[in-house]
């Protein structure tokens, strides 16, 4: 008798014991916590031909990690390619093959079709939303989830994850009230859901509800703080709330603690660290030796694979005064432009001009920096990330206009920002104070 997962989907090659371990790992994946890897290794050791165990392992390792971890994901994918499976399971393998080839949009489309045919396949839904995030497709972040809602209800296992993903998609589409309600409902169902926590934090960031955000992250739901492999990014959100209130000492304390007190080689962790230090740089805050330590880690990494991560590497090298690192990032963009995969377009449309702007800003060529930033900010979604992450482009543009003496541009940008964030009490005042 074939085994099935929580949604009743077939699990080719799994024994009952392996299927149980996989289902437990899958639930941990859906809340981004615990140790799904140990469970997956147990499942694979018991049932080496269990294709979806290899698929989940690859999904956990291929994106946002370091080269060593990524190679583990490639190995899991290569094993999965050799195994028998259903059409649904082969679709998962095909999507992973596209990810490994740098064809993120193709992977997203394959996973989109899987979700249409199998709306209860939560792994396809979650992996698909990650693809939407990587290419900055805010509409699909929302609509991919909306399509499956008629097939889900509170009574179903892991429904909290559907609500958490819906919350993030709604937030990135500007439906803040509905997003917060969905995220809070997800946390009621599963207080340890780090993605739901993250989605509500995004709402409060976009509405500039700094004090509310601090309370929410510190008191209203704390499960993500100790038991989540997504914790660094949530700590980063907490730091942004403190930064918006001018509490830079607390920002540095968080940086030296849960955000980057222990240097991580994971791409997503490094870019959070770089983005936070760059915001502090825009405010004129002395960060001591932190840029050097971050640049040391970036020097060990690989450039040219993601325009989004390379832009943050540029911040680190500029912040640390590493001329060789700056040259290496620029050279990597030239190579990326000629390489296959979606990243070439991301570099062309956003990454390269943004990287040039960061270098110009550091060199005091503020007019050049502003020109580059104005050219990319309205299409910056093309290289991935969230609105909150890409807000760094607008903040750098405002700082460039101010430092370059372009009062007209500065006033226009501040008026625009005040209209978009009418509750704002933070960023503009802090930038003015820094000037």
């Amino acid at each position: 008798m074939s085994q099935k997962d929580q949604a009743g989907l077939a699990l080719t090659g799994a024994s009952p014991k392996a299927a149980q371990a996989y289902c437990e790992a899958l639930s941990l994946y859906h809340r981004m916590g615990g140790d799904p890897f140990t469970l997956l290794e147990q499942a694979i050791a018991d049932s080496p031909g269990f294709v979806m165990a290899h698929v989940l392992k690859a999904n956990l390792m291929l994106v946002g990690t370091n080269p060593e971890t990524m190679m583990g994901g490639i190995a899991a994918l290569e094993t999965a390619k050799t195994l028998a499976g259903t059409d649904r399971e082969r679709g998962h393998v095909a999507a992973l093959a596209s990810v490994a080839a740098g064809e993120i949009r193709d992977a997203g489309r394959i996973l989109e079709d899987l979700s249409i045919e199998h709306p209860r396949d939560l792994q396809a839904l979650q992996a698909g939303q990650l693809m939407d995030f990587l290419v900055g497709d805010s509409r699909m972040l929302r609509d991919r989830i909306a399509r499956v809602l008629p097939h889900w209800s509170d009574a179903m296992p892991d429904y909290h994850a559907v609500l958490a993903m819906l919350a993030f998609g709604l937030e990135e589409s500007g439906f803040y009230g509905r997003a917060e309600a969905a995220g809070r409902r997800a946390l009621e169902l599963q207080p340890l859901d780090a993605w739901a926590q993250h989605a509500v934090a995004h709402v409060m960031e976009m509405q500039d509800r700094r004090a509310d955000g601090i309370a929410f992250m510190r008191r209203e739901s704390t499960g993500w703080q100790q038991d989540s492999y997504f914790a660094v990014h949530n700590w980063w959100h907490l730091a942004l709330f403190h930064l918006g209130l001018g509490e830079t000492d607390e920002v540095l304390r968080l940086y030296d603690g849960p955000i980057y007190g222990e240097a991580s080689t994971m791409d997503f962790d490094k870019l959070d660290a770089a983005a936070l230090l760059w915001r502090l740089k825009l405010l004129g805050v002395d960060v001591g030796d932190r840029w050097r330590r971050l640049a040391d880690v970036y020097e060990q990494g690989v450039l040219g694979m993601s325009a989004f991560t390379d832009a943050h590497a540029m911040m680190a090298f500029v912040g640390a005064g590493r001329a060789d690192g700056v040259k290496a990032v620029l050279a990597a963009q030239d190579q990326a432009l000629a390489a296959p995969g979606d990243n070439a377009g991301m570099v062309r449309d956003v990454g390269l001009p943004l990287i040039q702007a960061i270098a110009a800003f550091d060199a005091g060529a503020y007019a050049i920096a502003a020109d580059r930033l104005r050219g990319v900010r309205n299409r910056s979604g093309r290289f991935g990330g969230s609105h909150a992450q890409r807000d760094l482009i607008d903040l750098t543009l405002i700082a460039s206009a101010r430092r370059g003496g372009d009062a007209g541009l500065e006033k226009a940008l501040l008026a625009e920002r005040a209209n978009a964030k009418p509750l704002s009490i933070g960023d503009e005042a802090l930038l003015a104070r820094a000037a």
Side-chain angles (χ1 to χ4, degrees):
M1 180 178 177
S2 63
Q3 301 302 309
K4 296 183 179 181
D5 66 9
Q6 297 98 312
L9 299 169
L11 299 176
T12 302
S15 71
K17 179 181 177 181
Q20 178 62 33
Y22 167 81
C23 288
E24 292 176 11
L26 196 59
S27 286
L28 293 178
Y29 170 66
H30 295 326
R31 70 171 179 83
M32 295 188 162
D35 181 13
F37 287 103
T38 296
L39 291 164
L40 288 173
E41 292 299 340
Q42 293 171 359
I44 291 169
D46 179 86
S47 301
F50 184 0
V51 60
M52 288 305 292
H54 294 284
V55 164
L56 180 54
K57 185 177 178 180
N59 269 324
L60 285 161
M61 301 177 80
L62 276 179
V63 175
T65 58
N66 57 26
E68 181 180 2
T69 304
M70 188 179 299
M71 290 308 298
I74 294 292
L77 168 60
E78 291 303 315
T79 299
K81 286 179 179 179
T82 68
L83 301 175
T86 63
D87 288 345
R88 179 187 70 88
E89 291 168 328
R90 303 314 305 164
H92 275 278
V93 175
L96 284 166
S98 291
V99 173
E103 301 289 351
I104 306 302
R105 289 182 175 84
D106 283 351
R109 182 62 176 268
I110 293 169
L111 292 164
E112 177 185 346
D113 290 342
L114 281 177
S115 292
I116 291 171
E117 187 172 356
H118 304 281
R120 295 286 310 283
D121 187 341
L122 195 48
Q123 185 175 177
L125 198 67
Q126 188 167 340
Q129 191 176 60
L130 178 58
M131 299 304 108
D132 299 333
F133 172 80
L134 292 175
V135 299
D137 190 340
S138 59
R139 175 168 179 172
M140 279 302 292
L141 282 168
R142 177 195 68 199
D143 292 349
R144 181 185 297 268
I145 316 305
R147 292 172 176 181
V148 308
L149 288 178
H151 302 272
W152 286 85
S153 71
D154 275 17
M156 294 176 179
D158 295 324
Y159 178 57
H160 66 89
V162 178
L163 290 176
M165 288 184 277
L166 176 65
F168 184 58
L170 288 169
E171 177 275 323
E172 288 295 290
S173 302
F175 296 98
Y176 299 133
R178 291 175 59 199
E180 183 169 352
R184 287 186 179 275
R185 178 56 182 152
L187 288 168
E188 289 175 2
L189 294 172
Q190 173 50 276
L192 300 179
D193 190 324
W195 193 253
Q197 184 83 23
H198 157 265
V200 177
H202 266 273
V203 170
M204 294 177 177
E205 173 65 26
M206 298 310 293
Q207 294 181 327
D208 217 354
R209 292 161 54 195
R210 310 295 188 177
D212 286 351
I214 292 169
F216 174 69
M217 299 301 282
R218 288 200 178 275
R219 294 193 297 273
E220 293 186 41
S221 179
T222 59
W224 61 271
Q225 294 181 15
Q226 290 84 31
D227 187 37
S228 172
Y229 53 81
F230 197 62
V232 167
H233 188 67
N234 276 334
W235 284 114
W236 178 82
H237 274 284
L238 176 59
L240 291 192
F241 292 138
H242 284 289
L243 186 62
L245 296 176
E247 298 167 355
T248 54
D249 288 344
E250 180 61 16
V251 173
L252 290 172
R253 191 191 72 77
L254 288 169
Y255 182 94
D256 292 337
I259 295 175
Y260 215 69
E262 183 177 345
S264 169
T265 60
M266 296 294 183
D267 280 349
F268 284 167
D269 295 345
K270 289 189 298 183
L271 68 86
D272 279 343
L276 191 56
L277 291 184
W278 188 261
R279 281 170 166 82
L280 291 166
K281 177 181 175 68
L282 295 180
L283 299 177
V285 176
D286 182 3
V287 300
D289 200 36
R290 295 174 181 86
W291 276 124
R292 180 191 64 79
R293 289 186 281 118
L294 180 58
D296 287 344
V297 179
Y298 266 109
E299 284 185 342
Q300 302 167 22
V302 177
L303 298 170
M305 297 181 65
S306 164
F308 191 78
T309 56
D310 283 354
H312 290 80
M314 190 65 160
M315 295 173 203
F317 291 134
V318 161
R322 299 275 175 91
D324 288 345
V326 169
K327 292 178 182 177
V329 175
L330 289 169
Q333 306 318 294
D334 289 339
Q335 296 174 2
L337 284 169
D342 292 329
N343 189 50
M346 295 175 180
V347 171
R348 181 189 64 248
D349 292 345
V350 183
L352 181 57
L354 175 56
I355 285 168
Q356 292 169 338
I358 292 167
F361 182 90
D362 185 66
Y366 299 119
I368 294 175
D371 181 67
R372 296 287 190 277
L373 293 168
R374 290 177 71 183
V376 303
R377 70 185 189 119
N378 290 342
R379 62 172 187 263
S380 61
R382 296 180 188 176
F383 87 145
S386 66
H387 293 306
Q389 288 174 308
R390 296 190 301 267
D391 192 39
L392 201 59
I393 295 173
D394 283 316
L395 293 173
T396 307
L397 176 56
I398 294 168
S400 297
R402 178 171 292 130
R403 297 187 188 192
D406 192 339
L409 177 60
E410 178 194 350
K411 290 178 181 178
L413 292 169
L414 291 178
E416 162 197 293
R417 193 171 180 85
N419 180 65
K421 299 178 72 174
L423 300 178
S424 178
I425 58 172
D427 298 329
E428 298 77 27
L430 289 170
L431 285 166
R433 189 185 311 164

